[in-house]
Amino acid sequence: MSENNNSEIRVDVKSAVELITEIFKAKSCSDYEAKTIAERLCGSNLKGHDSHGIARVPRYVEWMEKGWVFPNVKPELIIDAGAMGCLDAKQGFGQVAGEYAVDDGIARAKKFGVSVVGLRNSGHLGRIGDWAERAADAGLISFHFVNVRGSLLVAPFGGSDRRGSTSPLAIGVPNQGEEHIVLDMATSTVAEGKVMVAQKGGKKLPDGALIDSFGKLTTNPEAMYGKIGDDEVPDPDKGSGAITAFGLHKGSGINFMMEVLGGALTGNGVCGALTDKERRKFANGMLSIYISVEKMVDLEYFTKEIKSYADFVRASKPSLNNDKVLIPGDKEIATNFDRLNNGMPVAPLVWENIKTTAEKLGLKNLNRFEEAIK
Ligand code: NAD
C-alpha cells in the first residue's frame, strides 16, 4: 500500500483479494464463493467503479448478520421454457447467482439464437457490466435490466423524495479481436456506492447528484446518510434526501421501466409502493436478453461496421474542457490497465473499515496486508 498525492492509497489487487476472501471464508462462505466475491469486488475497483468495489465489504458482512444475504446458496431454476428461463437466487450472493443466471442465458441463446432469463431474490449483483462481459465472452450481445428491491433511494424527475432504486442498465457487445463494448450505468445520476465513496473521503459527487429533503440540489453525502462517524457503515435509511434520476424526464422514465422489467417481470418485486412496515428485503432482480450475433448477421460484417462507427465517433472534435471522445466501455478499459499495473486507489477510511471488519471476525496478522506496497 502506498499514499498518492490525493491522500488516497494504492492497494495491491492480489492482497485485497486475499484479505477479502479470508473475510468471507470467516463468514462461512465456501472457498469458491469467498474468492468470487473478492475478485468481483476488486474487479469493480479495477474498472473504476469503486462504488461497487471493496468499499462494500463491511456492508455485505452487516447484511449477512441481518439475514439479508446467505452464504453458499445454489440458485433454483424455476422456469425452464425453451428460450425463456427464470432463476430464484433465494437471497444468496449475487456474485455467484449472477454466474448461474448468465450461463443459463448463454446456453439458451446458443440453442435458440435468443433468450430471455430472469433472476429474482438475488444478493447484490455488483457491477452489472460483469454480466454483459460474461455473455460477450461467449459471443453474445446482452441487455440487463436490473432493479433494487427494498432500496428506495432515487427521486423521480420533478420530485424531491425517494420513489425509485438506482436500477442499473447494461448492454454488452462482443467485438471480435478487440475489447467488448459495454455500456453499464445506474439510471440515477450516480450509483449509491458513489455517495458512499464520497462520504468516506473519496471522489466528490457531480453537481446535481443529490437532492435534500427541502428539494434543493446538493453534493453533500449527509443528505443520504445523515451525520455519521468515521467507523460507521453508511446507512441510507438515516438520511432524508435522495439521489436524482439521470437524464431529466427521459432518464427518469428509463428508471421507472427498470422496476417494471427487473422488478415486476422477474418476480423480484419492485422497490417501492410499500409502507415502511411492509418493506421488503434488499434484492436485485435482473431481466436479461441474449442475442446471438451470427444467427442474425454475418459476423465479419458486424465487426467491421462496429469498428467503423466506433472510430467515427471517437474522432469527433472534443468539446471545450474535454480532451477525448469515448465510446461505452473505453473509460473502464483504460482504468483497468492503469490499476492492474499501479494498484487500486482507495480512500484510507475504506481500507481501515475493511481491516476493522476483518479484526472483528478474529482474523490475525493483518499487518501483512500493509506490506503490499505498489
Ligand atoms: P458512470 O456514471 O461512470 O457511467 C458508466 C458508463 O458511462 C459506462 O458505460 C462508461 O463506459 C460510460 N462513460 C463514462 N465516462 C464516459 C465518457 N466520458 N464518455 C462516454 N462514455 C462514458 O457509472 P454509474 O452510473 O455510477 O454506475 C456505476 C456502477 O454501478 C455500474 O457498474 C452499475 O452496474 C453499478 N450499479 C449496480 C447496482 C446494483 O444494484 N447492483 C445499482 C446501481 C449501479
Side-chain angles (χ1 to χ4, degrees), residues 202-237:
K203 197 173 169 199
K204 287 203 166 56
L205 295 172
D207 286 344
L210 305 178
I211 188 157
D212 68 19
S213 55
F214 302 103
K216 187 167 169 281
L217 294 174
T218 175
T219 53
N220 186 347
E222 267 181 36
M224 286 307 288
Y225 307 122
K227 275 197 196 306
I228 62 169
D230 280 357
D231 56 350
E232 279 183 72
V233 179
D235 178 356
D237 285 348

mmCIF file of all heavy atoms in Angstrom, residues 202-237:
data_model
loop_
_atom_site.group_PDB
_atom_site.id
_atom_site.type_symbol
_atom_site.label_atom_id
_atom_site.label_comp_id
_atom_site.label_asym_id
_atom_site.label_seq_id
_atom_site.Cartn_x
_atom_site.Cartn_y
_atom_site.Cartn_z
ATOM 1 N N GLY A 202 -13.578 9.825 -0.606
ATOM 2 C CA GLY A 202 -13.154 9.527 -1.981
ATOM 3 C C GLY A 202 -13.689 10.584 -2.942
ATOM 4 O O GLY A 202 -14.040 11.704 -2.539
ATOM 5 N N LYS A 203 -13.799 10.199 -4.239
ATOM 6 C CA LYS A 203 -14.174 11.159 -5.292
ATOM 7 C C LYS A 203 -15.462 11.930 -4.973
ATOM 8 O O LYS A 203 -16.462 11.338 -4.549
ATOM 9 C CB LYS A 203 -14.352 10.364 -6.591
ATOM 10 C CG LYS A 203 -14.331 11.205 -7.808
ATOM 11 C CD LYS A 203 -14.345 10.352 -9.052
ATOM 12 C CE LYS A 203 -14.586 11.230 -10.244
ATOM 13 N NZ LYS A 203 -15.044 10.490 -11.393
ATOM 14 N N LYS A 204 -15.410 13.238 -5.209
ATOM 15 C CA LYS A 204 -16.580 14.095 -4.942
ATOM 16 C C LYS A 204 -17.702 13.799 -5.935
ATOM 17 O O LYS A 204 -17.454 13.347 -7.055
ATOM 18 C CB LYS A 204 -16.180 15.565 -5.080
ATOM 19 C CG LYS A 204 -15.331 16.061 -3.944
ATOM 20 C CD LYS A 204 -15.440 17.594 -3.832
ATOM 21 C CE LYS A 204 -14.898 18.114 -2.523
ATOM 22 N NZ LYS A 204 -13.500 17.719 -2.258
ATOM 23 N N LEU A 205 -18.926 14.096 -5.535
ATOM 24 C CA LEU A 205 -20.079 13.837 -6.411
ATOM 25 C C LEU A 205 -20.245 14.953 -7.437
ATOM 26 O O LEU A 205 -19.914 16.114 -7.150
ATOM 27 C CB LEU A 205 -21.351 13.747 -5.556
ATOM 28 C CG LEU A 205 -21.374 12.569 -4.587
ATOM 29 C CD1 LEU A 205 -22.569 12.681 -3.647
ATOM 30 C CD2 LEU A 205 -21.408 11.250 -5.343
ATOM 31 N N PRO A 206 -20.796 14.635 -8.623
ATOM 32 C CA PRO A 206 -21.046 15.707 -9.596
ATOM 33 C C PRO A 206 -22.220 16.596 -9.158
ATOM 34 O O PRO A 206 -23.088 16.142 -8.399
ATOM 35 C CB PRO A 206 -21.413 14.937 -10.878
ATOM 36 C CG PRO A 206 -21.869 13.597 -10.423
ATOM 37 C CD PRO A 206 -21.178 13.307 -9.116
ATOM 38 N N ASP A 207 -22.234 17.821 -9.657
ATOM 39 C CA ASP A 207 -23.331 18.743 -9.323
ATOM 40 C C ASP A 207 -24.672 18.099 -9.636
ATOM 41 O O ASP A 207 -24.816 17.420 -10.658
ATOM 42 C CB ASP A 207 -23.208 20.037 -10.147
ATOM 43 C CG ASP A 207 -22.075 20.901 -9.618
ATOM 44 O OD1 ASP A 207 -21.623 20.647 -8.487
ATOM 45 O OD2 ASP A 207 -21.634 21.809 -10.361
ATOM 46 N N GLY A 208 -25.634 18.319 -8.771
ATOM 47 C CA GLY A 208 -26.994 17.841 -9.037
ATOM 48 C C GLY A 208 -27.196 16.358 -8.741
ATOM 49 O O GLY A 208 -28.252 15.806 -9.028
ATOM 50 N N ALA A 209 -26.208 15.713 -8.120
ATOM 51 C CA ALA A 209 -26.316 14.268 -7.876
ATOM 52 C C ALA A 209 -27.356 13.939 -6.801
ATOM 53 O O ALA A 209 -28.016 12.908 -6.869
ATOM 54 C CB ALA A 209 -24.960 13.693 -7.483
ATOM 55 N N LEU A 210 -27.488 14.840 -5.811
ATOM 56 C CA LEU A 210 -28.414 14.567 -4.694
ATOM 57 C C LEU A 210 -29.411 15.707 -4.563
ATOM 58 O O LEU A 210 -29.179 16.819 -5.034
ATOM 59 C CB LEU A 210 -27.623 14.456 -3.376
ATOM 60 C CG LEU A 210 -26.482 13.443 -3.311
ATOM 61 C CD1 LEU A 210 -25.793 13.518 -1.944
ATOM 62 C CD2 LEU A 210 -26.977 12.022 -3.567
ATOM 63 N N ILE A 211 -30.515 15.390 -3.896
ATOM 64 C CA ILE A 211 -31.496 16.440 -3.593
ATOM 65 C C ILE A 211 -31.849 16.283 -2.111
ATOM 66 O O ILE A 211 -32.031 15.148 -1.635
ATOM 67 C CB ILE A 211 -32.721 16.320 -4.539
ATOM 68 C CG1 ILE A 211 -33.652 17.504 -4.387
ATOM 69 C CG2 ILE A 211 -33.485 15.017 -4.373
ATOM 70 C CD1 ILE A 211 -34.540 17.739 -5.617
ATOM 71 N N ASP A 212 -31.869 17.393 -1.378
ATOM 72 C CA ASP A 212 -32.158 17.251 0.056
ATOM 73 C C ASP A 212 -33.662 17.286 0.314
ATOM 74 O O ASP A 212 -34.464 17.457 -0.620
ATOM 75 C CB ASP A 212 -31.375 18.279 0.895
ATOM 76 C CG ASP A 212 -31.829 19.714 0.672
ATOM 77 O OD1 ASP A 212 -32.956 19.913 0.176
ATOM 78 O OD2 ASP A 212 -31.056 20.641 0.995
ATOM 79 N N SER A 213 -34.034 17.131 1.572
ATOM 80 C CA SER A 213 -35.458 16.997 1.872
ATOM 81 C C SER A 213 -36.224 18.308 1.653
ATOM 82 O O SER A 213 -37.452 18.322 1.678
ATOM 83 C CB SER A 213 -35.661 16.492 3.302
ATOM 84 O OG SER A 213 -34.993 17.357 4.178
ATOM 85 N N PHE A 214 -35.473 19.410 1.445
ATOM 86 C CA PHE A 214 -36.154 20.686 1.131
ATOM 87 C C PHE A 214 -36.297 20.862 -0.386
ATOM 88 O O PHE A 214 -36.744 21.895 -0.863
ATOM 89 C CB PHE A 214 -35.367 21.870 1.709
ATOM 90 C CG PHE A 214 -35.172 21.764 3.195
ATOM 91 C CD1 PHE A 214 -33.951 21.367 3.728
ATOM 92 C CD2 PHE A 214 -36.230 22.028 4.069
ATOM 93 C CE1 PHE A 214 -33.771 21.247 5.098
ATOM 94 C CE2 PHE A 214 -36.071 21.907 5.437
ATOM 95 C CZ PHE A 214 -34.832 21.516 5.954
ATOM 96 N N GLY A 215 -35.845 19.841 -1.161
ATOM 97 C CA GLY A 215 -35.962 19.930 -2.615
ATOM 98 C C GLY A 215 -34.824 20.705 -3.252
ATOM 99 O O GLY A 215 -34.921 21.130 -4.406
ATOM 100 N N LYS A 216 -33.694 20.877 -2.504
ATOM 101 C CA LYS A 216 -32.554 21.648 -3.037
ATOM 102 C C LYS A 216 -31.462 20.677 -3.473
ATOM 103 O O LYS A 216 -31.111 19.738 -2.734
ATOM 104 C CB LYS A 216 -32.040 22.570 -1.921
ATOM 105 C CG LYS A 216 -30.992 23.539 -2.361
ATOM 106 C CD LYS A 216 -30.792 24.610 -1.257
ATOM 107 C CE LYS A 216 -29.571 25.458 -1.533
ATOM 108 N NZ LYS A 216 -28.320 24.828 -1.188
ATOM 109 N N LEU A 217 -30.906 20.914 -4.699
ATOM 110 C CA LEU A 217 -29.828 20.045 -5.193
ATOM 111 C C LEU A 217 -28.576 20.241 -4.349
ATOM 112 O O LEU A 217 -28.262 21.354 -3.935
ATOM 113 C CB LEU A 217 -29.532 20.362 -6.663
ATOM 114 C CG LEU A 217 -30.673 20.034 -7.638
ATOM 115 C CD1 LEU A 217 -30.346 20.509 -9.046
ATOM 116 C CD2 LEU A 217 -30.986 18.529 -7.651
ATOM 117 N N THR A 218 -27.847 19.150 -4.087
ATOM 118 C CA THR A 218 -26.651 19.216 -3.247
ATOM 119 C C THR A 218 -25.676 18.110 -3.652
ATOM 120 O O THR A 218 -26.054 17.174 -4.370
ATOM 121 C CB THR A 218 -27.028 19.069 -1.739
ATOM 122 O OG1 THR A 218 -25.843 19.011 -0.956
ATOM 123 C CG2 THR A 218 -27.829 17.797 -1.465
ATOM 124 N N THR A 219 -24.424 18.226 -3.167
ATOM 125 C CA THR A 219 -23.460 17.130 -3.362
ATOM 126 C C THR A 219 -23.022 16.586 -2.001
ATOM 127 O O THR A 219 -22.102 15.783 -1.920
ATOM 128 C CB THR A 219 -22.201 17.622 -4.129
ATOM 129 O OG1 THR A 219 -21.685 18.764 -3.441
ATOM 130 C CG2 THR A 219 -22.516 17.995 -5.563
ATOM 131 N N ASN A 220 -23.666 17.028 -0.929
ATOM 132 C CA ASN A 220 -23.261 16.613 0.417
ATOM 133 C C ASN A 220 -23.855 15.238 0.777
ATOM 134 O O ASN A 220 -25.080 15.102 0.893
ATOM 135 C CB ASN A 220 -23.742 17.684 1.414
ATOM 136 C CG ASN A 220 -23.239 17.389 2.816
ATOM 137 O OD1 ASN A 220 -22.756 16.290 3.097
ATOM 138 N ND2 ASN A 220 -23.363 18.368 3.697
ATOM 139 N N PRO A 221 -22.994 14.213 0.988
ATOM 140 C CA PRO A 221 -23.493 12.865 1.286
ATOM 141 C C PRO A 221 -24.370 12.784 2.537
ATOM 142 O O PRO A 221 -25.103 11.808 2.717
ATOM 143 C CB PRO A 221 -22.206 12.033 1.484
ATOM 144 C CG PRO A 221 -21.133 12.791 0.800
ATOM 145 C CD PRO A 221 -21.525 14.244 0.888
ATOM 146 N N GLU A 222 -24.329 13.832 3.374
ATOM 147 C CA GLU A 222 -25.198 13.836 4.559
ATOM 148 C C GLU A 222 -26.672 13.731 4.175
ATOM 149 O O GLU A 222 -27.490 13.233 4.935
ATOM 150 C CB GLU A 222 -24.990 15.132 5.350
ATOM 151 C CG GLU A 222 -23.957 14.967 6.443
ATOM 152 C CD GLU A 222 -23.765 16.246 7.245
ATOM 153 O OE1 GLU A 222 -24.761 16.986 7.469
ATOM 154 O OE2 GLU A 222 -22.625 16.489 7.600
ATOM 155 N N ALA A 223 -26.988 14.213 2.968
ATOM 156 C CA ALA A 223 -28.386 14.124 2.515
ATOM 157 C C ALA A 223 -28.816 12.655 2.456
ATOM 158 O O ALA A 223 -29.985 12.329 2.669
ATOM 159 C CB ALA A 223 -28.538 14.775 1.146
ATOM 160 N N MET A 224 -27.854 11.750 2.193
ATOM 161 C CA MET A 224 -28.183 10.320 2.101
ATOM 162 C C MET A 224 -28.059 9.585 3.425
ATOM 163 O O MET A 224 -28.796 8.646 3.706
ATOM 164 C CB MET A 224 -27.227 9.617 1.113
ATOM 165 C CG MET A 224 -27.506 9.927 -0.322
ATOM 166 S SD MET A 224 -29.206 9.647 -0.796
ATOM 167 C CE MET A 224 -29.290 7.884 -0.804
ATOM 168 N N TYR A 225 -27.056 9.970 4.234
ATOM 169 C CA TYR A 225 -26.723 9.162 5.416
ATOM 170 C C TYR A 225 -26.883 9.902 6.740
ATOM 171 O O TYR A 225 -26.644 9.314 7.801
ATOM 172 C CB TYR A 225 -25.265 8.673 5.323
ATOM 173 C CG TYR A 225 -24.943 7.969 4.030
ATOM 174 C CD1 TYR A 225 -23.913 8.419 3.189
ATOM 175 C CD2 TYR A 225 -25.663 6.850 3.621
ATOM 176 C CE1 TYR A 225 -23.620 7.778 1.996
ATOM 177 C CE2 TYR A 225 -25.373 6.209 2.431
ATOM 178 C CZ TYR A 225 -24.354 6.677 1.617
ATOM 179 O OH TYR A 225 -24.072 6.043 0.441
ATOM 180 N N GLY A 226 -27.233 11.186 6.712
ATOM 181 C CA GLY A 226 -27.215 11.982 7.933
ATOM 182 C C GLY A 226 -25.761 12.160 8.378
ATOM 183 O O GLY A 226 -24.832 11.794 7.652
ATOM 184 N N LYS A 227 -25.549 12.668 9.584
ATOM 185 C CA LYS A 227 -24.172 12.841 10.100
ATOM 186 C C LYS A 227 -23.737 11.520 10.700
ATOM 187 O O LYS A 227 -24.436 10.991 11.579
ATOM 188 C CB LYS A 227 -24.179 13.908 11.204
ATOM 189 C CG LYS A 227 -24.081 15.321 10.693
ATOM 190 C CD LYS A 227 -23.678 16.253 11.835
ATOM 191 C CE LYS A 227 -23.923 17.712 11.533
ATOM 192 N NZ LYS A 227 -23.341 18.235 10.321
ATOM 193 N N ILE A 228 -22.588 10.964 10.251
ATOM 194 C CA ILE A 228 -22.144 9.692 10.831
ATOM 195 C C ILE A 228 -20.654 9.724 11.164
ATOM 196 O O ILE A 228 -19.893 10.502 10.601
ATOM 197 C CB ILE A 228 -22.439 8.472 9.917
ATOM 198 C CG1 ILE A 228 -21.695 8.562 8.582
ATOM 199 C CG2 ILE A 228 -23.909 8.276 9.693
ATOM 200 C CD1 ILE A 228 -21.761 7.266 7.800
ATOM 201 N N GLY A 229 -20.244 8.859 12.070
ATOM 202 C CA GLY A 229 -18.840 8.764 12.492
ATOM 203 C C GLY A 229 -18.023 7.999 11.463
ATOM 204 O O GLY A 229 -18.570 7.272 10.625
ATOM 205 N N ASP A 230 -16.671 8.150 11.561
ATOM 206 C CA ASP A 230 -15.755 7.531 10.603
ATOM 207 C C ASP A 230 -15.872 6.010 10.532
ATOM 208 O O ASP A 230 -15.687 5.407 9.480
ATOM 209 C CB ASP A 230 -14.299 7.873 10.972
ATOM 210 C CG ASP A 230 -13.938 9.268 10.503
ATOM 211 O OD1 ASP A 230 -14.792 9.913 9.851
ATOM 212 O OD2 ASP A 230 -12.814 9.709 10.810
ATOM 213 N N ASP A 231 -16.127 5.378 11.672
ATOM 214 C CA ASP A 231 -16.135 3.911 11.664
ATOM 215 C C ASP A 231 -17.539 3.331 11.446
ATOM 216 O O ASP A 231 -17.745 2.133 11.514
ATOM 217 C CB ASP A 231 -15.514 3.354 12.952
ATOM 218 C CG ASP A 231 -16.217 3.894 14.176
ATOM 219 O OD1 ASP A 231 -17.035 4.834 14.027
ATOM 220 O OD2 ASP A 231 -15.966 3.373 15.280
ATOM 221 N N GLU A 232 -18.517 4.193 11.191
ATOM 222 C CA GLU A 232 -19.880 3.682 10.964
ATOM 223 C C GLU A 232 -20.076 3.279 9.502
ATOM 224 O O GLU A 232 -19.517 3.911 8.603
ATOM 225 C CB GLU A 232 -20.902 4.766 11.299
ATOM 226 C CG GLU A 232 -21.205 4.884 12.780
ATOM 227 C CD GLU A 232 -22.279 5.927 13.011
ATOM 228 O OE1 GLU A 232 -23.454 5.675 12.686
ATOM 229 O OE2 GLU A 232 -21.928 7.026 13.481
ATOM 230 N N VAL A 233 -20.890 2.220 9.290
ATOM 231 C CA VAL A 233 -21.229 1.821 7.924
ATOM 232 C C VAL A 233 -22.330 2.779 7.455
ATOM 233 O O VAL A 233 -23.359 2.899 8.121
ATOM 234 C CB VAL A 233 -21.755 0.367 7.897
ATOM 235 C CG1 VAL A 233 -22.119 -0.040 6.475
ATOM 236 C CG2 VAL A 233 -20.728 -0.597 8.490
ATOM 237 N N PRO A 234 -22.126 3.500 6.326
ATOM 238 C CA PRO A 234 -23.161 4.447 5.888
ATOM 239 C C PRO A 234 -24.492 3.733 5.637
ATOM 240 O O PRO A 234 -24.524 2.729 4.933
ATOM 241 C CB PRO A 234 -22.586 5.015 4.580
ATOM 242 C CG PRO A 234 -21.128 4.705 4.613
ATOM 243 C CD PRO A 234 -20.967 3.461 5.424
ATOM 244 N N ASP A 235 -25.543 4.278 6.247
ATOM 245 C CA ASP A 235 -26.853 3.629 6.139
ATOM 246 C C ASP A 235 -27.831 4.620 5.503
ATOM 247 O O ASP A 235 -28.196 5.632 6.118
ATOM 248 C CB ASP A 235 -27.318 3.235 7.547
ATOM 249 C CG ASP A 235 -28.691 2.608 7.537
ATOM 250 O OD1 ASP A 235 -29.322 2.542 6.456
ATOM 251 O OD2 ASP A 235 -29.156 2.193 8.615
ATOM 252 N N PRO A 236 -28.268 4.332 4.254
ATOM 253 C CA PRO A 236 -29.150 5.301 3.574
ATOM 254 C C PRO A 236 -30.460 5.539 4.309
ATOM 255 O O PRO A 236 -31.114 6.557 4.085
ATOM 256 C CB PRO A 236 -29.401 4.672 2.202
ATOM 257 C CG PRO A 236 -28.592 3.434 2.120
ATOM 258 C CD PRO A 236 -27.961 3.154 3.444
ATOM 259 N N ASP A 237 -30.836 4.635 5.215
ATOM 260 C CA ASP A 237 -32.076 4.845 5.973
ATOM 261 C C ASP A 237 -31.962 6.037 6.923
ATOM 262 O O ASP A 237 -32.959 6.533 7.436
ATOM 263 C CB ASP A 237 -32.427 3.606 6.803
ATOM 264 C CG ASP A 237 -32.980 2.510 5.919
ATOM 265 O OD1 ASP A 237 -33.296 2.804 4.747
ATOM 266 O OD2 ASP A 237 -33.081 1.363 6.386
#
